[in-house]
Amino acid sequence: MMDNNQIQYLIEIVNSNFHLTTAAKKLYVTQSALSQFIKKFELEQGFEMFSRRNGRIVGLTASGMRVYQAAKIAAEKLYLLSDVIENESAYQKGMVRIGIHPTILRLFFRKFIPQFMLDHSDAHIEIVEAGTVELREMLLNETIHMALLVDPTELDKDKYEEYQLIRTEVAAFMNPNHPLSKKRILNWNLLENYPYVTYNNKDSVHHLVKQKLNDYNVGNKFLFTSSSWDYMIESAAQTEIVAILPTVYFTIFKERLEHIGVIEKRFEDPVPYVSMLVRPLKKHYSKVENFVFNSILEYFYSDDYTLKYDFRSGIELDQ
């Protein structure tokens, strides 16, 4: 008898044109594991499943072909069973859980998620709002299915897949009468004389900004940290506080800044802010999880596979 792993081994070996190295990479196993599977199976079953030339596997024997055909049928049934179980589990739990930073959620998903759920009411989604450091831990602990994290995610690329969704950078926000407002572009050293605020240490921006300030030997003048973009921006509008936060160039965003009464200044040596859609690599995903993940990618990428929201290119976009 073959177990599920052995069935997958056989199918992938054939699909990889009998190149064990290629099959092993696709299966995330060693080539030795596939060689041992072949040797053990043929020894225990008493017949050769693979034909060989000069000791190298080049195809299936007649017996091997019959086993392979039966294995494909078994794999389809196992996949169907697995899919039903995962889908039922997802529906019983009531959602696919997506971790998104509150500001990213507000700026980039205010249209997509409501419309998606109206169009696909059977695709249950729960949004988990948190800082990107927290979201990374949730993803590692498997309490969410996917998340938007900041690059570098520091996740194992062999265990997680990552796609850029948004490219922007960190900027300084201040009131129009701030002494730094006369500068066309800022050097980080200029912050030495002013109190500044940014996201708290549950978010990657906090650590990226802190590292940049250390690189420029800027003293520790963090006045406070917060998880609220609005609170920090409005604090900057009333005082000499500089709010150091990611920026975008939507018309609605610029109108919001104008309404609050702050201006934005970019840095000579900016901190990149690249938001990544990340999920664990698995052999099989539920249809709902796959559908949601692929729909997000389709929304954020153009037909020519370029990012729609690449603010580091200097192009101003509307939403």
Side-chain angles (χ1 to χ4, degrees):
M1 289 291 292
M2 275 187 172
D3 60 30
N4 187 37
N5 284 338
Q6 292 174 328
I7 290 172
Q8 297 302 323
Y9 289 177
L10 172 58
I11 292 172
E12 193 55 61
I13 289 170
V14 176
N15 289 346
S16 299
N17 199 28
F18 305 99
H19 294 144
L20 297 190
T21 301
T22 302
K25 287 180 180 179
K26 292 181 179 179
L27 291 163
Y28 300 102
V29 300
T30 64
Q31 182 176 336
S32 175
L34 293 186
S35 297
Q36 289 298 318
F37 151 65
I38 295 168
K39 181 178 180 181
K40 183 178 179 182
F41 181 87
E42 291 185 336
L43 182 64
E44 289 179 348
Q45 301 306 321
F47 67 88
E48 290 188 348
M49 187 161 54
F50 295 92
S51 57
R52 294 167 173 82
R53 184 180 300 125
N54 298 324
R56 183 175 177 273
I57 292 173
V58 295
L60 292 168
T61 62
S63 296
M65 179 59 72
R66 285 190 286 271
V67 172
Y68 169 68
Q69 296 294 344
K72 286 203 300 182
I73 294 171
E76 290 174 2
K77 290 181 178 179
L78 284 170
Y79 179 79
L80 177 62
L81 175 60
S82 176
D83 200 36
V84 169
I85 291 171
E86 287 193 26
N87 275 322
E88 287 302 315
S89 176
Y91 285 124
Q92 288 296 320
K93 292 176 182 176
M95 59 3 210
V96 171
R97 306 189 79 202
I98 309 173
I100 308 177
H101 188 282
T103 304
I104 295 296
L105 178 65
R106 177 180 176 183
L107 288 172
F108 292 92
F109 287 86
R110 62 190 181 88
K111 290 182 180 178
F112 171 76
I113 289 178
Q115 191 60 54
F116 181 89
M117 296 181 74
L118 286 171
D119 293 341
H120 310 285
S121 58
D122 57 338
H124 305 283
I125 297 176
E126 179 180 330
I127 303 300
V128 179
E129 297 182 55
T132 52
V133 173
E134 289 181 293
L135 294 176
R136 182 181 182 277
E137 291 303 313
M138 292 180 194
L139 199 66
L140 288 169
N141 294 332
E142 299 182 353
T143 56
I144 54 179
H145 296 93
M146 61 192 78
L148 271 74
L149 304 180
V150 175
D151 191 46
T153 65
E154 298 180 352
L155 293 170
D156 187 340
K157 299 300 188 291
D158 291 330
K159 295 181 180 179
Y160 293 86
E161 59 177 326
E162 304 178 355
Y163 297 88
Q164 291 188 10
L165 290 192
I166 306 151
R167 296 182 77 249
T168 185
E169 62 191 46
V170 170
F173 299 88
M174 62 194 73
N175 74 61
N177 297 316
H178 195 285
L180 295 180
S181 66
K182 306 297 187 294
K183 301 288 185 180
R184 185 182 67 84
I185 192 166
L186 299 183
N187 185 287
W188 289 93
N189 290 320
L190 294 174
L191 295 176
E192 182 72 46
N193 301 316
Y194 303 99
Y196 38 83
V197 298
T198 192
Y199 286 126
N200 58 36
N201 62 7
K202 294 180 180 178
D203 194 90
S204 298
V205 169
H206 176 96
H207 304 283
L208 293 171
V209 169
K210 189 173 183 180
Q211 181 60 54
K212 183 66 72 173
L213 292 170
N214 287 339
D215 292 344
Y216 281 82
N217 297 314
V218 177
N220 184 10
K221 287 200 173 184
F222 272 126
L223 188 63
F224 63 85
T225 60
S226 172
S227 61
S228 172
W229 183 90
D230 290 278
Y231 178 67
M232 288 185 283
I233 290 289
E234 290 176 12
S235 295
Q238 305 298 322
T239 66
E240 285 195 347
I241 291 172
V242 178
I244 308 175
L245 299 165
T247 185
V248 295
Y249 298 110
F250 292 138
T251 298
I252 189 173
F253 180 83
K254 291 185 288 185
E255 290 174 348
R256 175 68 171 153
L257 295 183
E258 185 177 346
H259 174 75
I260 294 171
V262 295
I263 60 172
E264 173 199 306
K265 294 292 179 178
R266 299 174 77 173
F267 288 98
E268 289 179 2
D269 178 21
V271 172
Y273 185 90
V274 181
S275 190
M276 314 284 289
L277 180 62
V278 185
R279 70 171 174 178
L281 283 168
K282 297 190 294 187
K283 290 183 179 179
H284 301 297
Y285 299 94
S286 71
K287 289 182 179 178
V288 173
E289 183 179 346
N290 243 349
F291 184 54
V292 171
F293 188 85
N294 291 327
S295 295
I296 292 174
L297 290 180
E298 288 176 10
Y299 182 77
F300 280 85
Y301 278 82
S302 301
D303 292 339
D304 61 356
Y305 302 105
T306 58
L307 280 175
K308 292 180 181 178
Y309 303 117
D310 185 358
F311 300 106
R312 299 208 75 194
S313 67
I315 298 173
E316 294 190 5
L317 301 174
D318 203 351
Q319 185 188 48

